[in-house]
Amino acid sequence: ILIITFFIFWIIALILSYVLTRISMFPIIKSWKQQSEFVNDAAHELRTPLTIIQGKLEYMLTKPHKTIIDEAESISVSLDEVNRLNSLTNNLLILARSDQATTKMDYKITTPEFFLKDPIMPFKEIINSQNKVFQVNIHHKNDVKLNVDRDKIKQVLIILLDNATKYTPENGTIRIYDYIDGSKYQIIVSDTGIGISDTDKKKIFGRFYRVDKSRNHNSGGHGLGLAIAQQIINNHHGKIFVRSNLPTGSEFIFELPIKH
Ligand code: ADP
């Protein structure tokens, strides 16, 4: 009897643990796992520039008689890394705030021209800062009403334009155009850059994901831009995705519900 009772209890415990894991515990465990992966990746990204700055400062301390001009290279490298840390912490804050839904969204009924006109100015600065020449075409034909936070949508456009310039060789073409698909308004940012493989297409919206990590350290990316863009578009009940043909370029599309 003792053995049978023990066996029954064991079976019940097994079933219970299986059900708990599948139904209620699974999302919790998954989110713990995601959170710890996120913290791990963030710490790793913070450590790289910190290690470089620490190395440069320690080196400068071993040469106390040198002037600032002698140490210009070390100072400039350290400053670049401080700038990287700054942009990383800003991006981490944006993501953390939108996760907690504490970001105040400033929704307003607007037409697309409000966020399509403005990003071109910072975009020109981006192009100039990279000393690249691009042909930029903007086709904006659909006049619809949207209920959006204009600044946030501008931020999405800037992320996509920044990427288009980063991953497109000189003399490429970047186009921005719009399209109506039923009750959805789409904005498309297309480039003639390096393209994205089918496997990477599924991963690039993930936090800290970069196709080529070594190259991207130099181009300044942390793999957070598209994650932020996705978070903003999700908050607008929209969708963001990519169409890409290796190696002829990429098309990033984001769609927003049309306000009737
Ligand atoms: P990053 O700061 O590294 O650009 P993102 O989250 O914006 O981070 O993009 C993630 C990765 O997706 C990039 O590292 C790059 O490998 C790839 N990617 C993004 N945009 C493009 C593009 N227009 N063309 C080719 N690859 C791209």
Side-chain angles (χ1 to χ4, degrees), residues 91 159-168 189-197 200 203-213 215-217 219-229 242 244 246 249-252:
N91 284 342
I159 290 168
L160 297 183
L161 289 169
D162 184 25
N163 279 349
T165 61
K166 273 196 293 197
Y167 304 110
T168 303
V189 178
S190 86
D191 64 53
T192 52
I194 57 172
I196 300 160
S197 73
D200 286 322
K203 299 178 183 167
I204 52 172
F205 292 94
R207 294 171 181 195
F208 296 111
Y209 189 81
R210 286 164 290 172
V211 175
D212 181 349
K213 291 191 190 241
R215 190 196 55 193
N216 287 357
H217 181 81
S219 67
H222 293 106
L224 289 176
L226 290 178
I228 292 174
V242 61
S244 179
L246 268 178
S250 314
E251 276 193 334
F252 281 84

Side-chain angles (χ1 to χ4, degrees), residues 55-117:
K56 292 288 174 197
L57 289 177
E58 279 170 1
Y59 172 76
M60 284 194 272
L61 273 179
T62 61
K63 316 253 176 197
H65 302 300
K66 296 244 170 161
T67 64
I68 283 190
I69 295 163
D70 295 329
E71 298 298 350
E73 197 263 343
S74 294
I75 294 169
S76 148
V77 170
S78 304
L79 201 61
D80 282 350
E81 294 304 322
V82 169
N83 288 335
R84 274 178 66 77
L85 279 175
N86 213 354
S87 99
L88 174 61
T89 41
N90 281 340
N91 284 342
L92 287 173
L93 272 176
I94 294 172
L95 277 173
R97 284 193 192 127
S98 49
D99 271 355
Q100 292 160 7
T102 48
T103 320
K104 276 214 178 109
M105 300 292 278
D106 186 16
Y107 289 112
K108 283 201 173 79
I109 307 283
T110 183
T111 56
E113 66 177 328
F114 275 101
F115 50 81
L116 275 175
K117 267 187 191 163

Side-chain angles (χ1 to χ4, degrees), residues 1-12:
I1 284 171
L2 211 67
I3 291 172
I4 292 173
T5 319
F6 176 76
F7 188 68
I8 290 170
F9 270 111
W10 184 67
I11 296 279
I12 291 171

